[in-house]
Amino acid sequence: MPDKCEYGLLIDYEYCTGCYACQVACAQEYGWPEGMGGIRVIEVEQRLPNDRAYLSYIPFPTELCILCAPRTRQGLEPACVKHCMAACMKYGKIEDLAREMSQKPRMVLWVPRS
Amino acid sequence: MTKGKNRQIVRTTTWSAGPGCHGGCGVLAHIEDGKLVKIEGDPEHPWNQGRLCSRCLAMTQYINHPDRLTRPLKRIGERGEGKWQEISWDEAFDLIENKLGKIREDYGPESVIFSMGTGRDIGAWICMLAYAYGSPNVMFALSGIACYSPRISAVETVQGDYCILDAAQWFPKRYEDPRYQVPECIVVWGYNIPASCPDNVFGHWIIDLMKKGTKIITIDPRLSWFASRAEKWLRLRPGTDGALAMGFLNVIINEGLYDKEFVEKWTNAAHLVRSDTGKLLRESDWVEGGSPVNFVVWDTARQAPAIWDSQQLEYKSANVRPALEGEYEVSLADGTRVSAKTVCDVFVEQVNQYPVERVSEITWVPPKDIIEAARLYARSKPAAIHWGVPIDMTPAITPTVQAITDLWCLTGNLDVPGGNVISRYAFDAVAYALPGAKGVIKLKSKEDDEKRIGADQYGPLRKFIWRAQTDVTLEQIFTEDPYPIKGMWLQACNPVAGIGLDPKRWVEALKKLDFVVAVDLFMNPTTQLADVVLPATTFLEKDSIRSWWIPLQSINKAITVGECKPDIEINFELAKRFDPDFRWNNIHELFDEILKPSGLTFRELQQQGWAFPPEGHPSHPYHRFEKGLLRPDVKPGFQTPSGKVELYSVLREEWGLEPVAHYEEPPFTPISQPELCKEYPLILSTGRRSPVYFHAEHRNIPWLREIDPDPVIEIHPKTAKSLNIANGEWVWVENWLGRCKFRAKVTLVVPEWMVMTAHGWWFPEEPGEEPSLFGVWKSNVNQLIPMGFQGEDGLGAPIKHLLCKIYRVDEQEEARDAR
């Protein structure tokens, strides 16, 4: 059903610092009890040659993410996007976000269940 | 502003209790029927531009927490027994007035210590109370006062004013302001982003700048977020920052990468140093009746000495061409002849004691990396250095900071757009005695200050830092020498779980005192040992001002919780009781006086929310030393004894300390303690930052605790494997002072030779009374760090570089103990 997949979240994970603001912003917006939430931050530690590694954090929208429909209807950004300390999350139409993805590497586009 | 029927939106500023941090963020608090229902970042606020951190976003759980203290409590059992009785504020104030009044009568006002944690919107008001009571002993409870004040004091020693990374924070339009320039390179020195907001800076500004093209050099033993994205990453051995900075200077000097014009014009490089005493040659040495505060240079035009007048900031004769290099014979007033060489030569000799190979041996950073990083920093224009608290957390903090300060001065990055910019309090509106400023709230007389603990021993405490020295104070509680300590006022200060090193000693100390008051928002391991506990408020429950760096901001009351009172109201009431001459009738009158230099009243500031100093004001950048904006006499130059950037510090010389930047090996390292190192082979670094906690706070906030549930120790995979430790297992961390346990996070972030633990851990869910004290002895890593190892100038402490061994917690043994 294509009309159900119109919007998504674009994450520039080069700049996600793992501050967890998105996760708590979602908890505040919906009053989630322990263990539940619309977005989770994933930590990835990738070993590289020469004793280096790359630390990544990626906010992942869960089964509970509704892309903040009550907020976006009022013209507000989703709570996670608004508060992202690194300003590395973007809400928008999938095709617009997909175009933006071609501008730089280390991006991921999520289309949550919503 | 209103929204919906009962919803009111209050615009205010974060500072202190609540998110806990050093604040400055603009927020919109959504209030319904007098309760906080939501908090959001204020999109119009130039500081955070709508963003907000996890701690602030969890404010609804904090404000409405069932464990909030909402009425004053009086102890009714033994100290630590956990038996309390609720009392009224009147009763609490009467009791405190009576008890502290008696101590003052019997032992003098200096016998009560007024102790704060990280201060924030408490610093001014705890000083107000202490000074009204008559005690000079306001104390920041960390060993060696090792958080921020030492850095400020050390930078002011060299250049007279403090400075920080330029992220355009001085301009309402921020990065868009045409006067601003994005740094080509930022050196992130011992700082990690998840902590996010150190004093004076919003951490994610650096991310904003990275997106605008700034390259990063990271200096950190940990493979931090910045390190993994850095152009250059220098994994140094903890505590060797001073050596690395000397290595950078060595490359920059010997490759000629410094700003020659700046050195000649703005530093004391040309001043002469006597070869016989090793001290600065002063006018009083050279001529009878000469001034001891003026200095001597060698004038190459006349081939004779000339006098630098430190008051007029000019040479006493015309057209002096001072020599930067060389050794010269000078006849002194007493007829003797001495040879003297320039500060420049002395400085370069010192720097040349740190060739890159030697620095590599000390720091464990490969020579190639040191050279390349130094070149990248020096060649980037502009470039800035942003440092974290590890710089304070070593006994040789001042020499280390001298070296780093020399770096931004010599590369011409001081007070230029995109460099390290002089940071003063907005409009020079200063509430209380702070490094470099004395403020509106002062001790009544110099005599009152004479008994301040440690001020007689330590120069910086007489010049910059108006606090009692913490390590000396703790000792004095036991020795009662030179006078007894009988009481303590603790305000948002938790030495048993957070800020105190050797915390069991702090428990003993508190128990020895006759009367202890704690002001806080929740019960914690320290409040359990008080006689009276007073419930304070979060930033949302008070009117206040943030005259703390830039911009100037108001904090606006949005709600009331129980009978909680703002720190300022508590202290104001008691200050009036203790001081018959207390000069303010009400709090707004005090605010207005503090704000006076801004030309705004508190009400006016509240209406506009924040205010930026205008162009031409001393608290507005750039190039202020050239414009005469830094000194009260408006002469171009700096607020140092010589009026110059001092590569050779006049103050350090006067305090009997080595005047030039250098490196000192910390007290507990594999190098300084090879014997101890055999038993405790790992370097223990503490203070791993969590994105969801501020020091010892927030473990009781469910949304935050869920993210970081346990005290963590980071262990390299090879180290973990060799010790048979798996990810997620509990391990003991032990050294000669004690042991405590942490959950293993096996990670490449730390090197094989080091482990890093979190700090400030206690368990609000466990019993509060002794012996548990909220389980504080399980995982408070400060049990493994001694007090009393402050630096020669009373500042700094070995917090980031100790020694330990680690081993798996034996679960059967644990179960046996539990039975």
Side-chain angles (χ1 to χ4, degrees):
Chain A
M1 289 190 283
D3 58 338
K4 283 213 161 181
C5 296
E6 205 179 340
Y7 291 90
L9 288 175
L10 180 67
I11 315 293
D12 182 345
Y13 63 85
E14 182 174 357
Y15 294 111
C16 174
T17 61
C19 78
Y20 291 85
C22 54
Q23 209 167 301
V24 182
C26 183
Q28 177 186 233
E29 192 70 27
Y30 300 100
W32 293 117
E34 196 181 336
M36 292 170 81
I39 196 144
R40 291 275 130 160
V41 177
I42 305 165
E43 186 184 55
V44 180
E45 184 180 301
Q46 179 56 55
R47 193 175 160 202
L48 302 173
N50 306 321
D51 276 336
R52 294 288 298 242
Y54 195 83
L55 295 184
S56 300
Y57 295 92
I58 305 177
F60 170 75
T62 71
E63 285 301 290
L64 297 169
C65 175
I66 52 168
L67 276 174
C68 272
R71 286 179 65 101
T72 54
R73 268 200 298 274
Q74 295 175 54
L76 299 170
E77 289 178 307
C80 58
V81 173
K82 168 170 170 41
H83 289 106
C84 175
M85 296 278 278
C88 69
M89 303 175 75
K90 196 166 187 179
Y91 166 80
K93 286 200 167 165
I94 293 165
E95 57 266 33
D96 296 341
L97 297 177
R99 262 196 301 278
E100 213 164 301
M101 281 183 94
S102 64
Q103 303 302 307
K104 78 173 279 299
R106 301 193 179 102
M107 306 270 250
V108 59
L109 175 57
W110 300 121
V111 182
R113 177 177 165 266
S114 60
Chain B
M1 272 193 286
T2 52
K3 181 188 169 186
K5 270 184 198 161
N6 305 317
R7 187 171 288 201
Q8 222 199 338
I9 298 180
V10 179
R11 165 173 278 162
T12 185
T13 303
T14 61
W15 206 20
S16 74
C21 62
H22 296 287
C25 289
V27 297
L28 301 174
H30 296 234
I31 313 296
E32 258 175 33
D33 303 323
K35 282 193 101 177
L36 177 75
V37 293
K38 193 199 287 199
I39 190 162
E40 297 213 311
D42 181 353
E44 288 172 38
H45 200 288
W47 182 276
N48 51 316
Q49 299 170 314
R51 301 174 267 190
L52 209 55
C53 75
S54 58
R55 295 183 305 275
C56 208
L57 288 163
M59 277 306 293
T60 52
Q61 286 194 335
Y62 190 111
I63 298 268
N64 308 316
H65 198 290
D67 296 342
R68 266 293 290 277
L69 293 167
T70 54
R71 295 198 71 195
L73 297 175
K74 184 173 92 171
R75 173 172 67 83
I76 48 173
E78 293 298 309
R79 281 221 184 113
E81 213 184 352
K83 292 185 178 159
W84 302 91
Q85 182 193 342
E86 287 191 346
I87 55 174
S88 71
W89 275 103
D90 282 342
E91 212 179 329
F93 284 138
D94 289 348
L95 177 66
I96 293 164
E97 185 185 1
N98 182 333
K99 292 279 187 183
L100 291 183
K102 185 82 171 71
I103 292 175
R104 182 165 67 174
E105 219 174 282
D106 294 348
Y107 302 96
E110 65 278 4
S111 292
V112 175
I113 306 295
F114 292 80
S115 181
M116 58 175 148
T118 60
R120 304 160 280 169
D121 190 29
I122 285 161
W125 322 132
I126 198 171
C127 287
M128 173 181 73
L129 175 59
Y131 299 166
Y133 180 77
S135 175
N137 287 322
V138 177
M139 179 178 80
F140 169 64
L142 185 59
S143 174
I145 320 180
C147 180
Y148 214 41
S149 301
R151 263 178 291 165
I152 298 177
S153 158
V155 173
E156 289 179 348
T157 300
V158 178
Q159 62 181 42
D161 270 287
Y162 191 61
C163 70
I164 59 165
L165 159 76
D166 184 9
Q169 59 269 49
W170 340 95
F171 309 119
K173 287 187 180 164
R174 299 291 308 273
Y175 311 116
E176 307 308 318
D177 192 289
R179 290 165 289 191
Y180 180 64
Q181 203 179 336
V182 173
E184 217 173 282
C185 160
I186 296 176
V187 181
V188 176
W189 201 315
Y191 168 64
N192 191 20
I193 194 73
S196 83
C197 295
D199 214 326
N200 217 341
V201 167
F202 180 85
H204 282 76
W205 290 343
I206 303 176
I207 315 300
D208 298 346
L209 295 172
M210 287 168 74
K211 290 182 186 171
K212 294 175 190 296
T214 299
K215 292 188 179 110
I216 301 292
I217 297 171
T218 303
I219 298 172
D220 203 317
R222 290 176 78 249
L223 177 60
S224 65
W225 186 92
F226 281 118
S228 85
R229 282 153 179 78
E231 202 81 8
K232 295 299 299 177
W233 167 42
L234 310 187
R235 169 170 266 175
L236 84 173
R237 176 166 66 88
T240 63
D241 307 74
L244 186 63
M246 293 306 288
F248 271 33
L249 285 168
N250 189 293
V251 173
I252 288 167
I253 298 287
N254 289 304
E255 296 190 7
L257 298 174
Y258 58 95
D259 182 334
K260 293 185 183 64
E261 198 191 317
F262 185 92
V263 172
E264 282 172 28
K265 200 166 173 192
W266 299 109
T267 73
N268 67 344
H271 294 185
L272 293 176
V273 177
R274 294 171 59 153
S275 301
D276 57 342
T277 59
K279 292 190 169 178
L280 285 162
L281 182 61
R282 299 178 185 237
E283 188 187 19
S284 50
D285 296 332
W286 186 46
V287 288
E288 201 72 52
S291 165
V293 301
N294 292 341
F295 302 96
V296 182
V297 300
W298 186 262
D299 181 6
T300 56
R302 295 181 182 81
Q303 287 299 317
I307 299 299
W308 170 256
D309 187 324
S310 302
Q311 307 300 308
Q312 297 305 316
L313 296 200
E314 60 189 18
Y315 293 105
K316 282 193 166 178
S317 32
N319 304 319
V320 171
R321 285 184 13 224
L324 276 190
E325 291 163 12
E327 199 159 346
Y328 306 93
E329 282 262 313
V330 181
S331 297
L332 300 186
D334 62 9
T336 56
R337 288 183 71 78
V338 295
S339 79
K341 52 188 167 187
T342 63
V343 160
C344 188
D345 277 3
V346 172
F347 178 76
V348 171
E349 274 168 33
Q350 182 89 296
V351 167
N352 281 338
Q353 286 182 33
Y354 297 87
V356 170
E357 294 69 29
R358 180 179 170 222
V359 170
S360 173
E361 269 170 38
I362 297 171
T363 60
W364 302 355
V365 178
K368 183 170 164 282
D369 290 343
I370 299 169
I371 295 167
E372 288 175 3
R375 286 178 185 159
L376 175 59
Y377 169 67
R379 287 179 181 154
S380 301
K381 300 292 174 201
I385 296 175
H386 177 65
W387 52 18
V389 78
I391 301 292
D392 294 307
M393 293 184 164
T394 196
I397 173 263
T398 306
T400 303
V401 169
Q402 284 178 288
I404 298 174
T405 305
D406 292 343
L407 279 171
W408 63 61
C409 288
L410 295 185
T411 52
N413 281 306
L414 179 60
D415 214 31
V416 300
N420 281 83
V421 170
I422 285 172
S423 177
R424 293 172 74 149
Y425 302 101
F427 301 95
D428 289 328
V430 186
Y432 67 116
L434 288 163
K438 287 210 169 172
V440 166
I441 293 163
K442 310 180 186 49
L443 267 173
K444 277 193 258 177
S445 70
K446 272 200 162 163
E447 291 73 60
D448 281 356
D449 199 35
E450 273 166 14
K451 291 194 169 166
R452 184 155 50 89
I453 297 169
D456 53 338
Q457 289 177 55
Y458 299 119
L461 272 64
R462 296 191 299 276
K463 179 74 184 168
F464 298 117
I465 300 177
W466 315 107
R467 302 287 168 266
Q469 207 286 344
T470 314
D471 304 82
V472 182
T473 305
L474 182 62
E475 271 318 293
Q476 190 171 326
I477 290 174
F478 295 101
T479 63
E480 306 199 348
D481 179 30
Y483 56 82
I485 306 296
K486 292 290 174 185
M488 195 177 287
W489 173 275
L490 292 145
Q491 199 150 14
C493 181
N494 185 358
V496 179
I499 200 167
L501 305 184
D502 196 359
K504 284 186 174 146
R505 187 96 171 131
W506 283 99
V507 172
E508 267 181 75
L510 289 171
K511 286 187 173 174
K512 188 170 178 301
L513 300 174
D514 291 351
F515 190 61
V516 177
V517 183
V519 186
D520 225 308
L521 290 93
F522 293 96
M523 274 294 185
N524 65 45
T526 302
T527 57
Q528 286 291 346
L529 301 166
D531 299 298
V532 179
V533 182
L534 303 177
T537 63
T538 68
F539 73 100
L540 290 165
E541 302 153 52
K542 68 179 171 190
D543 275 349
S544 195
I545 48 175
R546 188 172 183 274
S547 65
W548 188 248
W549 316 113
I550 287 172
L552 187 64
Q553 293 169 294
S554 71
I555 298 170
N556 310 315
K557 183 172 172 167
I559 46 168
T560 301
V561 175
E563 291 180 25
C564 301
K565 277 187 193 290
D567 296 274
I568 184 170
E569 276 182 33
I570 297 168
N571 294 17
F572 201 89
E573 170 63 28
L574 284 167
K576 281 198 295 189
R577 292 182 183 219
F578 286 125
D579 180 6
D581 305 323
F582 191 66
R583 58 194 185 88
W584 298 284
N585 295 304
N586 60 62
I587 289 167
H588 284 201
E589 201 180 294
L590 169 60
F591 289 162
D592 286 345
E593 188 176 331
I594 295 166
L595 294 174
K596 210 169 176 186
S598 72
L600 295 166
T601 63
F602 178 63
R603 284 286 174 231
E604 287 164 347
L605 180 64
Q606 270 193 313
Q607 271 157 23
Q608 67 184 75
W610 57 85
F612 285 89
E615 181 95 48
H617 192 276
S619 57
H620 179 101
Y622 295 103
H623 306 291
R624 277 162 283 186
F625 56 93
E626 296 171 50
K627 298 174 186 163
L629 286 169
L630 298 178
R631 295 171 54 96
D633 61 13
V634 301
K635 291 182 191 303
F638 298 88
Q639 298 193 83
T640 53
S642 65
K644 302 268 198 179
V645 165
E646 296 186 350
L647 300 177
Y648 179 110
S649 166
V650 174
L651 288 171
R652 295 266 300 173
E653 182 191 284
E654 288 171 1
W655 296 334
L657 302 168
E658 163 66 57
V660 181
H662 62 279
Y663 171 67
E664 293 169 24
E665 183 68 29
F668 302 106
T669 71
I671 312 303
S672 57
Q673 301 283 354
E675 282 305 308
L676 267 183
C677 188
K678 285 178 192 158
E679 195 177 348
Y680 305 105
L682 290 166
I683 294 178
L684 168 63
S685 199
T686 70
R688 175 184 188 264
R689 291 298 190 263
S690 164
V692 293
Y693 301 136
F694 187 74
H695 299 302
E697 300 175 42
H698 302 116
R699 271 45 169 210
N700 55 353
I701 307 300
W703 288 332
L704 303 179
R705 183 70 179 274
E706 189 184 349
I707 290 167
D708 196 1
D710 300 309
V712 162
I713 181 169
E714 293 174 336
I715 311 168
H716 188 277
K718 281 187 190 160
T719 309
K721 196 174 172 196
S722 74
L723 298 167
N724 202 17
I725 294 166
N727 191 43
E729 279 186 314
W730 286 92
V731 299
W732 288 109
V733 184
E734 180 175 324
N735 72 6
W736 58 99
L737 294 170
R739 70 172 189 175
C740 52
K741 57 184 175 180
F742 287 85
R743 197 186 273 286
K745 177 166 180 162
V746 176
T747 170
L748 295 162
V749 161
V750 284
E752 284 176 63
W753 36 262
M754 167 182 144
V755 290
M756 177 107 189
T757 73
H759 70 302
W761 267 91
W762 54 290
F763 301 87
E765 65 274 20
E766 296 195 12
E769 67 275 10
E770 284 199 296
S772 162
L773 291 179
F774 296 110
V776 73
W777 307 122
K778 284 185 189 171
S779 301
N780 179 358
V781 75
N782 287 359
Q783 292 170 99
L784 277 64
I785 315 179
M787 291 287 293
F789 285 86
Q790 67 272 26
E792 281 187 308
D793 60 0
L795 306 178
I799 297 172
K800 296 279 184 184
H801 34 66
L802 288 122
L803 297 168
C804 74
K805 63 180 177 186
I806 60 171
Y807 51 96
R808 267 170 59 185
V809 169
D810 181 336
E811 277 169 22
Q812 285 173 352
E813 187 192 328
E814 286 282 285
R816 248 192 339 267
D817 288 353
R819 282 201 300 276

